[in-house]
PDB file of all heavy atoms in Angstrom:
ATOM      1  N   PHE K 290     -14.109  20.050  19.065  1.00 92.00           N
ATOM      2  CA  PHE K 290     -13.530  19.032  18.193  1.00 92.00           C
ATOM      3  C   PHE K 290     -13.269  17.770  19.006  1.00 92.00           C
ATOM      4  O   PHE K 290     -12.871  17.836  20.176  1.00 92.00           O
ATOM      5  CB  PHE K 290     -12.191  19.484  17.592  1.00 92.00           C
ATOM      6  CG  PHE K 290     -12.311  20.486  16.482  1.00 92.00           C
ATOM      7  CD1 PHE K 290     -12.081  21.828  16.727  1.00 92.00           C
ATOM      8  CD2 PHE K 290     -12.650  20.091  15.195  1.00 92.00           C
ATOM      9  CE1 PHE K 290     -12.182  22.764  15.710  1.00 92.00           C
ATOM     10  CE2 PHE K 290     -12.756  21.018  14.170  1.00 92.00           C
ATOM     11  CZ  PHE K 290     -12.525  22.361  14.426  1.00 92.00           C
ATOM     12  N   GLU K 291     -13.475  16.622  18.364  1.00 94.00           N
ATOM     13  CA  GLU K 291     -12.955  15.373  18.903  1.00 94.00           C
ATOM     14  C   GLU K 291     -12.213  14.660  17.777  1.00 94.00           C
ATOM     15  O   GLU K 291     -12.610  14.729  16.608  1.00 94.00           O
ATOM     16  CB  GLU K 291     -14.060  14.482  19.470  1.00 94.00           C
ATOM     17  CG  GLU K 291     -15.039  13.936  18.461  1.00 94.00           C
ATOM     18  CD  GLU K 291     -15.954  12.874  19.072  1.00 94.00           C
ATOM     19  OE1 GLU K 291     -15.451  12.040  19.837  1.00 94.00           O
ATOM     20  OE2 GLU K 291     -17.158  12.905  18.771  1.00 94.00           O
ATOM     21  N   PHE K 292     -11.117  14.005  18.129  1.00 95.00           N
ATOM     22  CA  PHE K 292     -10.249  13.394  17.135  1.00 95.00           C
ATOM     23  C   PHE K 292     -10.202  11.884  17.355  1.00 95.00           C
ATOM     24  O   PHE K 292      -9.928  11.418  18.462  1.00 95.00           O
ATOM     25  CB  PHE K 292      -8.835  13.971  17.230  1.00 95.00           C
ATOM     26  CG  PHE K 292      -8.773  15.450  16.964  1.00 95.00           C
ATOM     27  CD1 PHE K 292      -8.839  16.355  18.013  1.00 95.00           C
ATOM     28  CD2 PHE K 292      -8.667  15.926  15.672  1.00 95.00           C
ATOM     29  CE1 PHE K 292      -8.794  17.725  17.777  1.00 95.00           C
ATOM     30  CE2 PHE K 292      -8.622  17.288  15.427  1.00 95.00           C
ATOM     31  CZ  PHE K 292      -8.689  18.189  16.475  1.00 95.00           C
ATOM     32  N   ILE K 293     -10.478  11.150  16.292  1.00 95.00           N
ATOM     33  CA  ILE K 293     -10.361   9.688  16.298  1.00 95.00           C
ATOM     34  C   ILE K 293      -9.132   9.347  15.461  1.00 95.00           C
ATOM     35  O   ILE K 293      -9.071   9.684  14.275  1.00 95.00           O
ATOM     36  CB  ILE K 293     -11.612   9.004  15.712  1.00 95.00           C
ATOM     37  CG1 ILE K 293     -12.882   9.537  16.381  1.00 95.00           C
ATOM     38  CG2 ILE K 293     -11.501   7.491  15.857  1.00 95.00           C
ATOM     39  CD1 ILE K 293     -12.956   9.276  17.874  1.00 95.00           C
ATOM     40  N   VAL K 294      -8.160   8.712  16.083  1.00 94.00           N
ATOM     41  CA  VAL K 294      -6.912   8.356  15.411  1.00 94.00           C
ATOM     42  C   VAL K 294      -6.815   6.839  15.372  1.00 94.00           C
ATOM     43  O   VAL K 294      -6.854   6.180  16.417  1.00 94.00           O
ATOM     44  CB  VAL K 294      -5.692   8.960  16.139  1.00 94.00           C
ATOM     45  CG1 VAL K 294      -4.400   8.571  15.426  1.00 94.00           C
ATOM     46  CG2 VAL K 294      -5.825  10.483  16.223  1.00 94.00           C
ATOM     47  N   LEU K 295      -6.684   6.287  14.165  1.00 92.00           N
ATOM     48  CA  LEU K 295      -6.629   4.835  13.973  1.00 92.00           C
ATOM     49  C   LEU K 295      -5.316   4.479  13.291  1.00 92.00           C
ATOM     50  O   LEU K 295      -5.049   4.958  12.188  1.00 92.00           O
ATOM     51  CB  LEU K 295      -7.800   4.353  13.110  1.00 92.00           C
ATOM     52  CG  LEU K 295      -9.207   4.829  13.500  1.00 92.00           C
ATOM     53  CD1 LEU K 295     -10.221   4.321  12.492  1.00 92.00           C
ATOM     54  CD2 LEU K 295      -9.561   4.363  14.903  1.00 92.00           C
ATOM     55  N   GLY K 296      -4.505   3.675  13.922  1.00 88.00           N
ATOM     56  CA  GLY K 296      -3.291   3.223  13.264  1.00 88.00           C
ATOM     57  C   GLY K 296      -2.082   3.194  14.177  1.00 88.00           C
ATOM     58  O   GLY K 296      -2.102   3.676  15.305  1.00 88.00           O
ATOM     59  N   ASP K 297      -1.016   2.624  13.637  1.00 88.00           N
ATOM     60  CA  ASP K 297       0.250   2.491  14.348  1.00 88.00           C
ATOM     61  C   ASP K 297       1.344   2.462  13.289  1.00 88.00           C
ATOM     62  O   ASP K 297       1.064   2.418  12.092  1.00 88.00           O
ATOM     63  CB  ASP K 297       0.244   1.201  15.184  1.00 88.00           C
ATOM     64  CG  ASP K 297       1.291   1.208  16.281  1.00 88.00           C
ATOM     65  OD1 ASP K 297       2.086   2.168  16.339  1.00 88.00           O
ATOM     66  OD2 ASP K 297       1.324   0.252  17.075  1.00 88.00           O
ATOM     67  N   GLY K 298       2.593   2.469  13.730  1.00 82.00           N
ATOM     68  CA  GLY K 298       3.676   2.436  12.775  1.00 82.00           C
ATOM     69  C   GLY K 298       4.961   2.974  13.366  1.00 82.00           C
ATOM     70  O   GLY K 298       5.050   3.302  14.548  1.00 82.00           O
ATOM     71  N   GLN K 299       5.965   3.087  12.509  1.00 80.00           N
ATOM     72  CA  GLN K 299       7.303   3.443  12.970  1.00 80.00           C
ATOM     73  C   GLN K 299       7.380   4.838  13.576  1.00 80.00           C
ATOM     74  O   GLN K 299       8.244   5.119  14.408  1.00 80.00           O
ATOM     75  CB  GLN K 299       8.287   3.352  11.807  1.00 80.00           C
ATOM     76  CG  GLN K 299       8.087   4.461  10.770  1.00 80.00           C
ATOM     77  CD  GLN K 299       8.802   4.209   9.479  1.00 80.00           C
ATOM     78  OE1 GLN K 299       8.406   3.336   8.724  1.00 80.00           O
ATOM     79  NE2 GLN K 299       9.847   4.958   9.220  1.00 80.00           N
ATOM     80  N   SER K 300       6.494   5.755  13.171  1.00 86.00           N
ATOM     81  CA  SER K 300       6.512   7.129  13.686  1.00 86.00           C
ATOM     82  C   SER K 300       5.579   7.328  14.877  1.00 86.00           C
ATOM     83  O   SER K 300       5.444   8.452  15.362  1.00 86.00           O
ATOM     84  CB  SER K 300       6.125   8.107  12.570  1.00 86.00           C
ATOM     85  OG  SER K 300       7.015   8.013  11.477  1.00 86.00           O
ATOM     86  N   ALA K 301       4.953   6.254  15.344  1.00 88.00           N
ATOM     87  CA  ALA K 301       3.966   6.390  16.418  1.00 88.00           C
ATOM     88  C   ALA K 301       4.604   6.878  17.712  1.00 88.00           C
ATOM     89  O   ALA K 301       4.025   7.693  18.435  1.00 88.00           O
ATOM     90  CB  ALA K 301       3.256   5.057  16.642  1.00 88.00           C
ATOM     91  N   ALA K 302       5.808   6.389  18.020  1.00 89.00           N
ATOM     92  CA  ALA K 302       6.457   6.786  19.275  1.00 89.00           C
ATOM     93  C   ALA K 302       6.715   8.288  19.311  1.00 89.00           C
ATOM     94  O   ALA K 302       6.555   8.927  20.357  1.00 89.00           O
ATOM     95  CB  ALA K 302       7.765   6.018  19.448  1.00 89.00           C
ATOM     96  N   ALA K 303       7.090   8.871  18.175  1.00 91.00           N
ATOM     97  CA  ALA K 303       7.341  10.315  18.129  1.00 91.00           C
ATOM     98  C   ALA K 303       6.051  11.115  18.299  1.00 91.00           C
ATOM     99  O   ALA K 303       6.078  12.255  18.792  1.00 91.00           O
ATOM    100  CB  ALA K 303       8.026  10.683  16.820  1.00 91.00           C
ATOM    101  N   ALA K 304       4.920  10.531  17.899  1.00 91.00           N
ATOM    102  CA  ALA K 304       3.640  11.234  17.998  1.00 91.00           C
ATOM    103  C   ALA K 304       2.993  11.092  19.371  1.00 91.00           C
ATOM    104  O   ALA K 304       2.083  11.857  19.704  1.00 91.00           O
ATOM    105  CB  ALA K 304       2.684  10.714  16.920  1.00 91.00           C
ATOM    106  N   GLU K 305       3.456  10.132  20.157  1.00 92.00           N
ATOM    107  CA  GLU K 305       2.819   9.866  21.452  1.00 92.00           C
ATOM    108  C   GLU K 305       2.729  11.076  22.376  1.00 92.00           C
ATOM    109  O   GLU K 305       1.681  11.302  22.998  1.00 92.00           O
ATOM    110  CB  GLU K 305       3.546   8.708  22.154  1.00 92.00           C
ATOM    111  CG  GLU K 305       3.224   7.346  21.572  1.00 92.00           C
ATOM    112  CD  GLU K 305       3.978   6.236  22.283  1.00 92.00           C
ATOM    113  OE1 GLU K 305       4.845   6.560  23.135  1.00 92.00           O
ATOM    114  OE2 GLU K 305       3.716   5.055  21.982  1.00 92.00           O
ATOM    115  N   PRO K 306       3.790  11.901  22.523  1.00 92.00           N
ATOM    116  CA  PRO K 306       3.684  13.036  23.446  1.00 92.00           C
ATOM    117  C   PRO K 306       2.556  14.007  23.096  1.00 92.00           C
ATOM    118  O   PRO K 306       2.049  14.708  23.974  1.00 92.00           O
ATOM    119  CB  PRO K 306       5.058  13.718  23.325  1.00 92.00           C
ATOM    120  CG  PRO K 306       5.975  12.642  22.844  1.00 92.00           C
ATOM    121  CD  PRO K 306       5.146  11.790  21.946  1.00 92.00           C
ATOM    122  N   TYR K 307       2.143  14.037  21.828  1.00 93.00           N
ATOM    123  CA  TYR K 307       1.103  14.970  21.398  1.00 93.00           C
ATOM    124  C   TYR K 307      -0.291  14.362  21.479  1.00 93.00           C
ATOM    125  O   TYR K 307      -1.281  15.096  21.586  1.00 93.00           O
ATOM    126  CB  TYR K 307       1.369  15.428  19.965  1.00 93.00           C
ATOM    127  CG  TYR K 307       2.723  16.060  19.774  1.00 93.00           C
ATOM    128  CD1 TYR K 307       3.795  15.329  19.270  1.00 93.00           C
ATOM    129  CD2 TYR K 307       2.935  17.397  20.105  1.00 93.00           C
ATOM    130  CE1 TYR K 307       5.034  15.909  19.091  1.00 93.00           C
ATOM    131  CE2 TYR K 307       4.181  17.996  19.939  1.00 93.00           C
ATOM    132  CZ  TYR K 307       5.217  17.229  19.435  1.00 93.00           C
ATOM    133  OH  TYR K 307       6.454  17.817  19.266  1.00 93.00           O
ATOM    134  N   LEU K 308      -0.373  13.033  21.427  1.00 92.00           N
ATOM    135  CA  LEU K 308      -1.678  12.378  21.346  1.00 92.00           C
ATOM    136  C   LEU K 308      -2.107  11.713  22.646  1.00 92.00           C
ATOM    137  O   LEU K 308      -3.300  11.694  22.967  1.00 92.00           O
ATOM    138  CB  LEU K 308      -1.670  11.329  20.221  1.00 92.00           C
ATOM    139  CG  LEU K 308      -1.411  11.860  18.800  1.00 92.00           C
ATOM    140  CD1 LEU K 308      -1.388  10.706  17.801  1.00 92.00           C
ATOM    141  CD2 LEU K 308      -2.443  12.894  18.398  1.00 92.00           C
ATOM    142  N   LEU K 309      -1.148  11.164  23.380  1.00 90.00           N
ATOM    143  CA  LEU K 309      -1.498  10.519  24.641  1.00 90.00           C
ATOM    144  C   LEU K 309      -1.914  11.561  25.672  1.00 90.00           C
ATOM    145  O   LEU K 309      -1.379  12.671  25.712  1.00 90.00           O
ATOM    146  CB  LEU K 309      -0.315   9.698  25.160  1.00 90.00           C
ATOM    147  CG  LEU K 309       0.076   8.470  24.328  1.00 90.00           C
ATOM    148  CD1 LEU K 309       1.244   7.748  24.976  1.00 90.00           C
ATOM    149  CD2 LEU K 309      -1.102   7.504  24.153  1.00 90.00           C
ATOM    150  N   ASN K 310      -2.870  11.216  26.481  1.00 87.00           N
ATOM    151  CA  ASN K 310      -3.382  12.109  27.534  1.00 87.00           C
ATOM    152  C   ASN K 310      -4.022  13.379  26.976  1.00 87.00           C
ATOM    153  O   ASN K 310      -4.193  14.360  27.692  1.00 87.00           O
ATOM    154  CB  ASN K 310      -2.277  12.486  28.528  1.00 87.00           C
ATOM    155  CG  ASN K 310      -1.652  11.256  29.173  1.00 87.00           C
ATOM    156  OD1 ASN K 310      -2.362  10.325  29.555  1.00 87.00           O
ATOM    157  ND2 ASN K 310      -0.326  11.253  29.282  1.00 87.00           N
ATOM    158  N   HIS K 311      -4.343  13.357  25.707  1.00 91.00           N
ATOM    159  CA  HIS K 311      -5.063  14.476  25.082  1.00 91.00           C
ATOM    160  C   HIS K 311      -6.550  14.267  25.349  1.00 91.00           C
ATOM    161  O   HIS K 311      -7.110  13.224  24.988  1.00 91.00           O
ATOM    162  CB  HIS K 311      -4.779  14.502  23.588  1.00 91.00           C
ATOM    163  CG  HIS K 311      -5.258  15.736  22.883  1.00 91.00           C
ATOM    164  ND1 HIS K 311      -6.567  16.164  22.915  1.00 91.00           N
ATOM    165  CD2 HIS K 311      -4.590  16.646  22.117  1.00 91.00           C
ATOM    166  CE1 HIS K 311      -6.685  17.262  22.192  1.00 91.00           C
ATOM    167  NE2 HIS K 311      -5.505  17.578  21.703  1.00 91.00           N
TER     168      HIS K 311
END
Side-chain angles (χ1 to χ4, degrees):
F290 284 101
E291 67 170 318
F292 298 93
I293 309 298
V294 180
L295 310 177
D297 199 355
Q299 71 194 71
S300 301
E305 285 179 353
Y307 303 98
L308 299 178
L309 293 181
N310 302 317
H311 190 304

